[in-house]
Amino acid sequence: MTRKQVGWLLLLLAGAALFYGLKLPHAFSLSVIETERERLAAIVQSHPLPAAVLFFLLYLVVAAFPLMPHIPMSLAAGALFGFWIGTLLVSFASSLGATIAFLLARSLFQEPLERRFRDRMEPIQAGVERNGATFLFSLRLVPFVPFFMVNLLMGLTRIPARTFYLVSQAGMLPATALFVNAGSAWGHGIRPETVMTPRVLVSLSLLALFPWAARAAVRKIGADPSRGTWKKPRRFDRNLIVIGAGSAGLVTSYLAAALRARVTLIEGGRMGGDCLNTGCVPSKAILKSAKVAHMSRKAEDFGVTVRDVDVDFSRVMERVREVIGTVAPHDSEERYRTLGVEVIHGWGRLVTPWEVEVDGRRMSARSIVIAAGASPRIPGIPGIRGDAPIYTSETIWSLKERPRRLVVLGGGPIGCELGQAFSRLGSQVSIVDRNRRLLKKEDPEVGELLETVFSEEGIEVLTETQPLRVESEEGEFRLVANQKGEEKALPFDALLLALGRVPRTKGYGLEEIGVRISGDGTIGTDPFLATNYPHIFACGDVAGPYQFTHAASHQAGYVAINALFGNLKRFRANYSSLPWCTFTDPEVGRVGLSEEEARDQGIPFEVTRFDFRELDRALAESSFSGFVKVLTVPGKDRILGATIIGERAGDLLSEFTLAMRHGLGLEKILSTIHAYPTWPEAARSVAGVWKRAHAPEALLEWSRWYHALRRRM
């Protein structure tokens, strides 16, 4: 806390001590007010305006600080000023006093709590942004809820002060009127308890349910575009229809069938989607062949002589297809039918919000899941759609001969992985990227290290380079690009477009029924992965925000439960601790925040780094490139993020992902025994670096003194 905050806090504590030291709460008790009621009433009658102003200010102080219960003051307002004037005074004084308490709490405590418990506060703040006004209004309607605690707790959130005041003014009015009315009756000789019966208080409290019921009704009517537009079937053929048999669709279908729901999976292409057929599986297969070729050329560094390393490119591609064939049965129609999933091969199209048509066959389901994936992005540069040998991550696998010169457009994960693979298989590779570095989403030193490795392997890396056009001259194709103001021509035998992927949202009825598409091209979903139709869900690449197979599978778990049991309970998709890896050599893996992201978000952090040059296993294998970098809360061992570049980074990342997911800090990793010599020792080593930097110096100094004393005894 700042000195100003500490000063305010001490001043408030001193004021409270003085208030109670003078026994002022007793002066405003019901017994005292009842004894002095006639005298006070006479004063009010003779000096109405000054009495009203003084009472207003006094109530304002009582409402702003937890000095005494405000109910006696509300009763006194009715007894002394009558119902209408008393209600006016109490209503505005209580709302203004509550707002003062709200602002004081925000000024004193919000910033320290946000800084220390940011990750725990974020879900709360997100909930307040969505439902804060409704929640506050409900609390204000219940007379049993502690008045000051509501002010204090809401001050710790980001709800606007204006919203807090207006909602408080409206929400506290019914209870205010009740108490002032009881005080008014008291002024005419009727005891307050005869007016404020338990039944009346409970009835008033039940009003708190009204805003939630009204909100739910409005949401149900307003959020469902199908209401009044489409005719909903009286009965459904199925519980769930899933469009798309990639990772997201397969997992959704599997889980639905395991929960004994009737589920239909529709796929127009090949089962397994992009990951099996054109993405994860074939790329990792070709990366392995490329690494074997690379290690064979470096064999002499390990004391092994390998002569005449020759890459049979056609055999490499044949092996890629064999690997796909080996994995394919796991995602096959036959396997999923045995699991209880109805699999239909064809192109599904939504004809109503509850019905899908495939080859003229119409079927209905209570819930529908869109898992249509994404396709490679094709840039709109001149010549890109001509007769040039241009490939994407989906079509590159059709190559039967190794391209002598390969130009890769895009320095993201796909471009880096395949660019390095083809270089190691014998192609002359150039990687062109418009950004300042490779892997722009990672910290600068990651992209810089990878660029150094690529240059050492003979890969030409052209960053800050803008592609202009594709042209041909005398049968030779080339990419013309602008590199820092100068045109540069790059001849190629194959051009690989690796500029990211575009969600597939066209051609299967989304436009016709009005499913909302977000600004980034994904299907718009809420935190439960539902679209603007509450019973239509989306997951995987088509929904974003991450285009990873494991992210799609993760989302599919939420979608299956929400689609089948959402009428009972829905679960928000949780992306905390989501790891990802780029399978270059060295690999790049990250979970949580990078340094750049932490700075952009204004999150304080410390950095701890451990280089693989200090790891015995890395030395034994001559795999020196890379490091482990961990971001932690300043002065704490709680992990905010971890970045690894090096051998087996994807595998090493799991320990940090587990730690973040379950709230384990570096101290726990340090105290865990790791087998020696292994790569995972890097996690324990970086924890050790953090521990040395946070050694308890005072305790160590005492220990030094103690041991010096022991030597003299």
Side-chain angles (χ1 to χ4, degrees), residues 80-102:
L80 298 175
F81 297 95
F83 175 74
W84 294 108
I85 300 297
T87 300
L88 189 67
L89 291 172
V90 172
S91 177
F92 281 95
S94 60
S95 299
L96 288 171
T99 305
I100 292 172
F102 166 88

Side-chain angles (χ1 to χ4, degrees), residues 53 86 214 334 382 414 564 589 658 664:
V53 172
E334 294 75 13
I414 295 174
L564 297 175
L658 178 72
L664 305 177

